[in-house]
Amino acid sequence: MRIVQKYGGTSVGSVARIHAVADRIIALRQAGQEVAVVVSAMGDSTDRLVELAREVCAQPDARELDALLATGEMVSTALLAMALCNAGCRARSWNALQMPLETTGPAGRARIARVGCDGLKRDLAEDVVPVVAGFQGRAENGDLTTIGRGGSDTTAVALAVALDADECQILTDVDGVYTTDPRMVPEARRLPTVSFEEMLELAGQGSRVLHLRSVEFAARHGMRLRVLSSFEPGPGTLICEENPNVEAPVVCGIAFNRDEAAISLTQVPDEAGVAHALLAPVAAASIEVDMIVIAAPRGGRVDLTFTVHRDDYARALELARNAAAKYAGAAVTVDDRVAKLAIVGSGMRSHAGVAAKLFATLADEGIQVRLVSTSEIKVSVLVAEKDLERGVRALHAAFGLDRAQP
Ligand code: ADP
Ligand code: ASP
Ligand code: MG
């Protein structure tokens, strides 16, 4: 079997951890598997590089920021390759320029266009373990790029597809995908399997256990994707096609994220095209808008509220203010103390009353819902950040996700 394994930041966070990862790779090879490895930067070193850049200047040049951030993964690939060689296992580190792993799109948000893996295939044929730097790529002009925070998962899946691997394993600091983040809800349960479409929603709504694009990529190519602990043995969670013989759970999990901010434009004229006029400048700045609600018009005026990622908040606010200035009487209000939570499950398609139960549960907790957005298999709501944890816990219990107590 050919396996691509990806080790996240905590899993390669110290010299001792790097040796432990090397031992694990060697054991897998001794069991007869062919292994290619992708690694993240050590521990929180990417965060520290971002801080360093911000100490130098408030708005670092995007090209240079990518050049800096890409160094984190180069450190861990070289160290892991050294540890493997030292333990008697031939290994070679690879960065995106060497492979090359080609990307398109802007710095910091580049997308993988092609994975050059001739050298990696040669390594595998010669019994050498290739150790690849996650998160980075090479732009058309030869510049180093990065593909978005948490992106090493996506590098791993792209590599698994390019190498025609049998499975892509994401080794991390939890032993699988849980019904919700086990750090927030200790009653959360590990899920043995999750369907691609449920995992897409969970990742899209903020479960950072897998990078959203890694799930998209794996689903598109039918790549078996497994989340495992890098610390202890276990079956982990397999992300795969839905099992047609088993009834899908109504709610399989709850995702949440604190990274949103809400911007409201109030008292704008209720005219055709006004939403476009207000949101077009935000879109033109490549700022992704998540939830949108337009309140029922009163006296020829409406309120429009939308949410964006907190990193884009200041820019979106400025653009919204400029757009609203064109309408006399319109005002802009903001709230960055909001959070989003979402219940996800394929069984929702065939069950009525899921949203009603969500609203009832939150109402019992005295939690006010600010915005709602739904898909066939998801209901997500925006709440005050202070209510987030209480809301997640209450919903986790209400939808029967809590682990049975011994
Ligand atoms: P890595 O550095 O290995 O990429 P991440 O920090 O990106 O690790 O992802 C693992 C973390 O994801 C866990 O420590 C956990 O707190 C968080 N997490 C969020 N939602 C879930 C979930 N549903 N199941 C498991 N872990 C989750
Ligand atoms: N090191 C990068 C980050 O911290 C990429 C990753 O860990 O996946 O975002
Ligand atoms: Mg991650």
Side-chain angles (χ1 to χ4, degrees), residues 210-272:
L210 283 174
H211 194 233
L212 174 61
R213 278 152 55 196
S214 73
V215 188
E216 282 169 359
F217 215 109
R220 187 144 33 95
H221 294 274
M223 174 55 61
R224 278 166 72 90
L225 184 59
R226 196 185 287 278
V227 177
L228 293 165
S229 162
S230 65
F231 296 85
E232 53 199 49
T237 299
L238 182 66
I239 294 97
C240 56
E241 295 301 339
E242 212 166 302
N243 181 348
N245 302 320
V246 176
E247 195 159 0
V250 178
V251 173
C252 73
I254 303 179
F256 57 86
N257 102 56
R258 293 186 174 89
D259 295 334
E260 298 217 3
I263 299 178
S264 298
L265 297 116
T266 53
Q267 295 289 304
V268 292
D270 178 26
E271 293 164 4

Coordinates of all heavy atoms in Angstrom, one line a residue, residues 210-272:
L210 N -9.6 19.6 9.9 CA -9.2 19.5 8.5 C -9.4 20.8 7.7 O -10.4 21.4 7.9 CB -10.0 18.4 7.8 CG -9.6 16.9 8.1 CD1 -10.6 16.0 7.4 CD2 -8.2 16.6 7.6
H211 N -8.4 21.1 6.9 CA -8.5 22.3 6.0 C -9.6 22.0 5.0 O -9.6 21.0 4.4 CB -7.1 22.5 5.4 CG -6.9 23.8 4.7 ND1 -6.5 23.9 3.4 CD2 -7.0 25.0 5.1 CE1 -6.3 25.1 3.1 NE2 -6.6 25.9 4.1
L212 N -10.5 23.0 4.8 CA -11.6 22.8 3.9 C -11.2 22.2 2.5 O -11.8 21.3 2.0 CB -12.4 24.1 3.8 CG -13.5 24.1 2.8 CD1 -14.6 23.0 3.1 CD2 -14.2 25.5 2.7
R213 N -10.2 22.9 2.0 CA -9.8 22.5 0.6 C -9.2 21.1 0.5 O -9.3 20.4 -0.5 CB -8.8 23.5 0.0 CG -9.6 24.7 -0.5 CD -8.7 26.0 -0.4 NE -7.5 25.8 -1.1 CZ -6.5 26.7 -1.0 NH1 -6.6 27.7 -0.2 NH2 -5.3 26.5 -1.7
S214 N -8.7 20.6 1.6 CA -8.2 19.2 1.6 C -9.4 18.2 1.4 O -9.3 17.2 0.8 CB -7.4 18.8 2.9 OG -8.3 18.7 4.0
V215 N -10.5 18.6 2.1 CA -11.7 17.7 2.0 C -12.3 17.8 0.6 O -12.7 16.8 0.0 CB -12.8 18.1 3.0 CG1 -13.9 17.1 3.1 CG2 -12.1 18.2 4.4
E216 N -12.4 19.0 0.0 CA -12.9 19.2 -1.3 C -12.0 18.4 -2.3 O -12.6 17.7 -3.2 CB -12.7 20.7 -1.8 CG -13.8 21.6 -1.2 CD -13.5 23.0 -1.4 OE1 -12.5 23.4 -2.0 OE2 -14.3 23.9 -1.0
F217 N -10.7 18.5 -2.2 CA -9.8 17.8 -3.1 C -10.0 16.3 -3.0 O -10.1 15.5 -4.0 CB -8.4 18.2 -2.7 CG -7.4 18.3 -3.8 CD1 -7.0 19.5 -4.2 CD2 -7.0 17.1 -4.5 CE1 -6.1 19.6 -5.3 CE2 -6.1 17.3 -5.5 CZ -5.6 18.5 -5.9
A218 N -10.1 15.8 -1.8 CA -10.2 14.3 -1.5 C -11.5 13.8 -2.1 O -11.6 12.8 -2.7 CB -10.1 14.0 -0.1
A219 N -12.6 14.6 -1.9 CA -13.9 14.2 -2.4 C -13.9 14.2 -3.9 O -14.4 13.2 -4.5 CB -15.0 15.2 -1.9
R220 N -13.3 15.2 -4.5 CA -13.3 15.2 -6.0 C -12.6 14.1 -6.6 O -12.9 13.6 -7.6 CB -12.7 16.6 -6.4 CG -12.7 16.9 -7.8 CD -12.9 18.4 -8.1 NE -12.3 19.3 -7.2 CZ -11.1 19.8 -7.3 NH1 -10.4 19.5 -8.4 NH2 -10.6 20.6 -6.4
H221 N -11.5 13.6 -5.9 CA -10.7 12.5 -6.5 C -11.0 11.2 -5.8 O -10.3 10.2 -6.1 CB -9.2 12.9 -6.3 CG -8.8 14.1 -7.2 ND1 -8.5 14.0 -8.5 CD2 -8.8 15.4 -6.9 CE1 -8.2 15.2 -9.0 NE2 -8.4 16.1 -8.0
G222 N -11.9 11.1 -4.9 CA -12.3 9.9 -4.3 C -11.1 9.3 -3.5 O -10.9 8.1 -3.4
M223 N -10.3 10.2 -2.9 CA -9.1 9.8 -2.1 C -9.6 9.5 -0.7 O -10.2 10.3 0.0 CB -8.1 11.0 -2.1 CG -6.9 10.8 -1.2 SD -5.9 9.3 -1.5 CE -5.4 9.5 -3.2
R224 N -9.2 8.3 -0.2 CA -9.5 7.9 1.2 C -8.7 8.9 2.1 O -7.5 9.0 1.9 CB -9.1 6.5 1.5 CG -10.0 5.4 1.0 CD -9.3 4.1 1.1 NE -9.0 3.6 2.4 CZ -9.8 2.9 3.1 NH1 -11.0 2.5 2.6 NH2 -9.6 2.5 4.3
L225 N -9.4 9.5 3.0 CA -8.8 10.4 3.9 C -9.0 10.0 5.3 O -10.2 9.6 5.7 CB -9.4 11.8 3.6 CG -8.9 13.0 4.3 CD1 -7.4 13.3 4.0 CD2 -9.7 14.3 3.9
R226 N -7.9 9.9 6.1 CA -8.1 9.4 7.5 C -7.5 10.4 8.5 O -6.3 10.8 8.2 CB -7.5 8.0 7.6 CG -8.0 7.3 8.9 CD -7.3 5.9 9.0 NE -7.7 4.9 8.1 CZ -8.7 4.1 8.2 NH1 -9.5 4.3 9.3 NH2 -9.0 3.2 7.4
V227 N -8.2 10.7 9.6 CA -7.6 11.5 10.6 C -7.2 10.6 11.8 O -8.0 9.8 12.2 CB -8.6 12.6 11.1 CG1 -8.0 13.4 12.3 CG2 -9.0 13.5 10.0
L228 N -5.9 10.7 12.2 CA -5.4 9.8 13.2 C -4.6 10.6 14.2 O -4.1 11.7 13.9 CB -4.4 8.9 12.6 CG -4.9 7.8 11.6 CD1 -3.7 7.2 10.8 CD2 -5.6 6.7 12.4
S229 N -4.4 10.1 15.4 CA -3.5 10.7 16.4 C -2.1 10.4 16.0 O -1.7 9.2 15.7 CB -3.8 10.1 17.8 OG -2.8 10.4 18.6
S230 N -1.2 11.4 16.2 CA 0.2 11.1 16.0 C 0.9 10.6 17.3 O 2.0 10.2 17.3 CB 1.0 12.3 15.5 OG 0.9 13.3 16.5
F231 N 0.1 10.6 18.3 CA 0.6 10.2 19.7 C 0.3 8.8 20.1 O 1.1 8.2 20.8 CB 0.1 11.2 20.7 CG 0.5 12.6 20.6 CD1 -0.2 13.5 19.7 CD2 1.6 13.1 21.2 CE1 0.1 14.8 19.6 CE2 2.0 14.4 21.1 CZ 1.3 15.3 20.2
E232 N -0.8 8.3 19.6 CA -1.2 7.0 20.1 C -1.9 6.2 19.0 O -2.4 6.8 18.0 CB -2.2 7.1 21.3 CG -3.4 8.0 20.9 CD -4.1 8.5 22.2 OE1 -3.4 9.0 23.1 OE2 -5.3 8.4 22.2
P233 N -1.8 4.9 19.0 CA -2.4 4.1 17.9 C -3.9 4.1 18.0 O -4.5 4.5 19.1 CB -1.9 2.7 18.2 CG -1.4 2.6 19.6 CD -1.1 4.0 20.0
G234 N -4.6 3.8 16.9 CA -6.0 3.8 16.9 C -6.5 3.9 15.5 O -5.8 4.2 14.6
P235 N -7.8 3.6 15.3 CA -8.4 3.6 14.0 C -8.7 5.0 13.4 O -8.8 5.1 12.2 CB -9.7 2.8 14.1 CG -10.1 3.0 15.5 CD -8.8 3.2 16.3
G236 N -8.8 6.0 14.3 CA -9.1 7.3 13.8 C -10.4 7.5 13.2 O -11.4 6.7 13.5
T237 N -10.5 8.4 12.3 CA -11.8 8.6 11.5 C -11.5 8.6 10.0 O -10.6 9.2 9.6 CB -12.4 10.0 11.9 OG1 -12.6 10.1 13.3 CG2 -13.7 10.3 11.1
L238 N -12.3 7.8 9.4 CA -12.2 7.7 7.9 C -13.2 8.6 7.3 O -14.4 8.6 7.6 CB -12.5 6.2 7.5 CG -12.3 6.0 6.0 CD1 -10.9 6.2 5.5 CD2 -12.8 4.6 5.6
I239 N -12.8 9.5 6.4 CA -13.7 10.3 5.6 C -13.9 9.7 4.3 O -12.9 9.5 3.5 CB -13.2 11.8 5.5 CG1 -13.1 12.4 6.9 CG2 -14.1 12.7 4.7 CD1 -11.9 12.4 7.6
C240 N -15.1 9.3 3.9 CA -15.3 8.5 2.7 C -16.7 8.8 2.2 O -17.5 9.6 2.8 CB -15.2 7.0 3.1 SG -16.3 6.5 4.4
E241 N -17.1 8.1 1.1 CA -18.4 8.2 0.5 C -19.4 7.7 1.6 O -19.1 6.9 2.4 CB -18.6 7.4 -0.7 CG -17.7 7.8 -1.9 CD -18.0 9.3 -2.3 OE1 -19.0 9.8 -2.0 OE2 -17.1 9.9 -3.0
E242 N -20.6 8.2 1.5 CA -21.6 7.8 2.5 C -21.9 6.3 2.3 O -22.0 5.8 1.2 CB -22.9 8.6 2.2 CG -23.7 8.9 3.4 CD -24.8 10.0 3.0 OE1 -24.4 11.1 2.6 OE2 -26.0 9.7 3.2
N243 N -22.1 5.6 3.4 CA -22.5 4.2 3.3 C -24.0 4.1 3.0 O -24.8 4.4 3.8 CB -22.1 3.5 4.6 CG -22.4 2.0 4.6 OD1 -23.1 1.6 3.7 ND2 -21.9 1.3 5.6
P244 N -24.4 3.6 1.8 CA -25.8 3.5 1.4 C -26.6 2.5 2.3 O -27.8 2.6 2.3 CB -25.7 3.1 0.0 CG -24.4 2.4 -0.2 CD -23.5 3.0 0.8
N245 N -25.9 1.7 3.0 CA -26.6 0.7 3.8 C -26.9 1.1 5.2 O -27.6 0.4 6.0 CB -25.8 -0.6 3.9 CG -25.5 -1.2 2.5 OD1 -26.4 -1.1 1.6 ND2 -24.3 -1.6 2.3
V246 N -26.4 2.3 5.6 CA -26.6 2.8 6.9 C -27.4 4.1 6.9 O -27.1 4.9 6.1 CB -25.3 3.0 7.6 CG1 -25.4 3.5 9.0 CG2 -24.5 1.7 7.7
E247 N -28.4 4.2 7.7 CA -29.1 5.5 7.7 C -28.2 6.6 8.2 O -27.5 6.5 9.2 CB -30.4 5.3 8.6 CG -31.3 6.5 8.3 CD -32.7 6.2 8.8 OE1 -33.0 5.1 9.3 OE2 -33.6 7.0 8.6
A248 N -28.3 7.7 7.5 CA -27.4 8.8 7.9 C -27.9 9.5 9.2 O -29.1 9.6 9.4 CB -27.4 9.9 6.7
P249 N -26.9 9.9 10.0 CA -27.3 10.6 11.3 C -28.0 11.9 11.0 O -27.6 12.6 10.0 CB -26.0 10.8 12.0 CG -25.0 10.9 10.9 CD -25.5 9.9 9.8
V250 N -29.0 12.3 11.8 CA -29.7 13.6 11.5 C -28.7 14.7 11.8 O -28.5 15.6 11.0 CB -30.9 13.7 12.5 CG1 -31.6 15.1 12.3 CG2 -31.9 12.6 12.2
V251 N -28.0 14.6 12.9 CA -26.9 15.6 13.2 C -25.7 14.7 13.5 O -25.7 13.9 14.5 CB -27.3 16.5 14.4 CG1 -26.1 17.4 14.8 CG2 -28.4 17.4 14.0
C252 N -24.6 14.9 12.8 CA -23.4 14.1 13.1 C -22.4 15.0 13.9 O -21.5 14.4 14.6 CB -22.7 13.6 11.8 SG -21.9 14.9 10.9
G253 N -22.5 16.3 13.8 CA -21.5 17.1 14.5 C -21.9 18.6 14.5 O -22.8 19.0 13.9
I254 N -21.1 19.3 15.4 CA -21.3 20.7 15.5 C -20.0 21.4 15.3 O -19.0 21.1 15.9 CB -21.9 21.1 16.9 CG1 -23.2 20.3 17.2 CG2 -22.1 22.6 17.1 CD1 -23.8 20.5 18.6
A255 N -20.0 22.4 14.4 CA -18.8 23.2 14.2 C -19.0 24.6 14.7 O -20.2 25.0 14.8 CB -18.5 23.2 12.7
F256 N -18.0 25.3 15.0 CA -18.2 26.7 15.4 C -16.9 27.5 15.0 O -15.9 26.9 14.7 CB -18.4 26.8 16.9 CG -17.3 26.2 17.7 CD1 -16.2 26.9 18.0 CD2 -17.4 24.8 18.1 CE1 -15.1 26.3 18.8 CE2 -16.3 24.3 18.8 CZ -15.2 25.0 19.2
N257 N -17.1 28.8 14.9 CA -15.9 29.6 14.7 C -16.1 31.0 15.2 O -17.2 31.5 15.2 CB -15.4 29.5 13.2 CG -15.8 30.6 12.4 OD1 -15.5 31.7 12.7 ND2 -16.5 30.3 11.3
R258 N -15.0 31.5 15.8 CA -15.1 32.8 16.4 C -14.5 33.9 15.5 O -14.2 35.0 16.0 CB -14.2 32.8 17.7 CG -14.8 31.9 18.8 CD -14.0 32.1 20.1 NE -14.6 31.4 21.2 CZ -14.3 30.1 21.5 NH1 -13.5 29.4 20.8 NH2 -14.9 29.6 22.5
D259 N -14.2 33.5 14.3 CA -13.5 34.4 13.4 C -14.3 35.3 12.6 O -13.9 35.8 11.6 CB -12.6 33.6 12.5 CG -11.5 32.8 13.2 OD1 -11.2 33.3 14.3 OD2 -11.1 31.8 12.7
E260 N -15.6 35.5 12.9 CA -16.5 36.3 12.1 C -16.8 37.6 12.7 O -16.7 37.8 14.0 CB -17.8 35.6 11.8 CG -17.5 34.3 11.0 CD -18.5 34.0 9.9 OE1 -19.5 34.8 9.7 OE2 -18.4 32.9 9.4
A261 N -17.1 38.6 11.9 CA -17.5 39.9 12.4 C -18.7 40.3 11.6 O -18.8 40.0 10.4 CB -16.4 41.0 12.3
A262 N -19.7 41.0 12.2 CA -20.9 41.4 11.5 C -20.9 42.8 11.2 O -20.5 43.6 12.1 CB -22.1 41.0 12.3
I263 N -21.3 43.2 10.0 CA -21.4 44.6 9.6 C -22.8 44.9 9.2 O -23.4 44.1 8.3 CB -20.4 44.9 8.5 CG1 -19.0 44.7 8.9 CG2 -20.6 46.4 8.0 CD1 -17.9 44.9 7.9
S264 N -23.5 45.9 9.8 CA -24.9 46.1 9.4 C -25.0 47.5 8.7 O -24.4 48.5 9.3 CB -25.8 46.1 10.6 OG -25.8 44.9 11.2
L265 N -25.7 47.6 7.6 CA -26.0 48.9 7.0 C -27.5 49.1 7.2 O -28.3 48.3 6.8 CB -25.7 48.8 5.5 CG -24.2 48.5 5.2 CD1 -24.0 47.2 4.5 CD2 -23.7 49.7 4.4
T266 N -27.8 50.1 8.0 CA -29.2 50.3 8.3 C -29.8 51.5 7.6 O -29.1 52.4 7.2 CB -29.4 50.5 9.9 OG1 -28.5 51.6 10.2 CG2 -29.0 49.3 10.6
Q267 N -31.1 51.4 7.4 CA -31.8 52.6 6.8 C -31.4 52.9 5.4 O -31.2 54.0 5.0 CB -31.7 53.8 7.7 CG -32.4 53.6 9.1 CD -33.9 53.6 8.9 OE1 -34.5 54.5 8.4 NE2 -34.5 52.5 9.4
V268 N -31.1 51.8 4.6 CA -30.7 52.1 3.2 C -32.0 52.0 2.4 O -33.0 51.3 2.8 CB -29.7 51.1 2.7 CG1 -28.3 51.4 3.3 CG2 -30.1 49.7 2.8
P269 N -32.1 52.7 1.3 CA -33.4 52.7 0.5 C -33.7 51.3 0.0 O -32.8 50.6 -0.4 CB -33.1 53.7 -0.7 CG -31.8 54.4 -0.3 CD -31.1 53.6 0.7
D270 N -35.0 51.0 0.0 CA -35.4 49.7 -0.4 C -35.6 49.7 -1.9 O -36.7 49.9 -2.4 CB -36.8 49.4 0.3 CG -37.3 48.0 -0.2 OD1 -36.5 47.2 -0.6 OD2 -38.5 47.8 -0.1
E271 N -34.5 49.7 -2.6 CA -34.6 49.8 -4.1 C -33.9 48.5 -4.7 O -33.0 48.0 -4.1 CB -33.8 51.0 -4.6 CG -34.3 52.3 -4.2 CD -33.3 53.4 -4.4 OE1 -32.2 53.2 -4.9 OE2 -33.6 54.6 -4.0
A272 N -34.3 48.2 -6.0 CA -33.6 47.1 -6.6 C -32.2 47.5 -6.8 O -31.9 48.7 -7.1 CB -34.3 46.9 -8.0

